[in-house]
Amino acid sequence: MTEPTHDEAHGGALGARLNWLRAAVLGANDGIVSTAGLVVGVAGATADRSTLFTAGLAGLLAGSMSMAAGEYVSVSTQRDSEKAALALERRELREQPEAELQELTQLLAERGLTREVAREAAVQLTERDALRAHARVELGIDPDDLTNPWHAAWASFLAFTVGALLPLLAIVLPPADWRVPVTVVSVLAALTLTGWSSARLGAARPGRAMLRNVAGGALAMGVTYAAGALLGAAGV
């Protein structure tokens, strides 16, 4: 008989995967709402297909680049902080090894181990890899898997782009009379899906999340369409 396998992700791997999925869903949601608001607003002022396409494409590129740059800067700052914390921990281990051993023992004891077991575990972890032990237990950092700003930037760029493509295509592909209705229906359906996905990833009830998502998107499109219509009527 073959031994059963168990491939379920645990701990940090599962948490990291959920964080990436949640960020992807939220990035796509931002792409949908911001681009939909832009193209619907322009559609309120003009029915010219090339103008709508230009505005939508500009919004897609600007939004995706802005998201990517923001994520890169944010995650780079986090990575710098992680490196600084590891450098400090490395110096303390070199200069105060006994104090660091006591600290690790205390941290393990606070997690439910008896003092004797915590001391023995701290000694064994220190002998195996002191820096990794302190990084994980004390700092909550995996020194072999620091956050990568390029990964975060590309993920945000792609998520926003995928989301933005929906309203962009919905506003330029249908006939003129159908552009706004098709865009509105498509966007609200997509926001329902992203609202449900974000709620499920956060282990929350999806109903309220979907309602917030749809209401926010509908409000954004309504406001921008009204503004575009007023500007178009004024000949601006």
Side-chain angles (χ1 to χ4, degrees):
M1 294 178 63
T2 59
E3 293 293 329
T5 58
H6 186 62
D7 297 326
E8 181 182 357
H10 293 282
L14 179 59
R17 185 180 303 173
L18 289 177
N19 285 336
W20 279 107
L21 288 172
R22 189 176 295 113
V25 169
L26 294 177
N29 194 81
D30 286 344
I32 294 169
V33 174
S34 61
T35 307
L38 176 62
V39 296
V40 168
V42 175
T46 179
D48 182 68
R49 189 189 302 270
S50 63
T51 301
L52 292 172
F53 179 76
T54 300
L57 183 61
L60 183 155
L61 293 174
S64 60
M65 293 298 293
S66 175
M67 288 282 291
E71 279 297 306
Y72 182 83
V73 171
S74 175
V75 176
S76 292
T77 301
Q78 179 183 344
R79 186 182 178 90
D80 291 342
S81 298
E82 291 173 346
K83 286 183 174 181
L86 290 173
L88 176 61
E89 196 64 39
R90 191 178 290 108
R91 188 184 70 190
E92 290 176 344
L93 285 168
R94 184 176 60 253
E95 297 175 353
Q96 308 172 50
E98 185 57 35
E100 288 299 297
L101 180 60
Q102 292 293 339
E103 182 180 34
L104 183 58
T105 300
Q106 180 62 33
L107 290 170
L108 292 173
E110 290 174 357
R111 297 190 176 191
L113 299 179
T114 64
R115 188 72 185 182
E116 294 76 13
V117 174
R119 174 73 180 189
E120 179 60 27
V123 169
Q124 292 188 23
L125 289 171
T126 299
E127 291 175 349
R128 179 175 301 174
D129 192 326
L131 179 61
R132 180 176 285 104
H134 280 266
R136 290 179 172 175
V137 177
E138 181 181 347
L139 304 176
I141 298 173
D142 185 348
D144 297 325
D145 188 25
L146 298 181
T147 53
N148 189 313
W150 285 108
H151 289 173
W154 277 110
S156 295
F157 179 88
L158 292 174
F160 188 97
T161 300
V162 169
L165 280 173
L166 174 68
L168 175 59
L169 295 177
I171 203 71
V172 299
L173 294 181
D177 293 341
W178 287 91
R179 286 173 188 163
V180 172
V182 168
T183 301
V184 170
V185 171
S186 300
V187 166
L188 295 183
L191 291 176
T192 300
L193 178 60
T194 56
W196 179 86
S197 300
S198 62
R200 296 299 297 172
L201 289 171
R205 292 184 177 180
R208 186 173 297 178
M210 291 189 294
L211 181 61
R212 286 196 300 261
N213 232 25
V214 170
L219 179 62
M221 290 186 290
V223 169
T224 56
Y225 183 82
L230 288 174
L231 291 173
V236 177

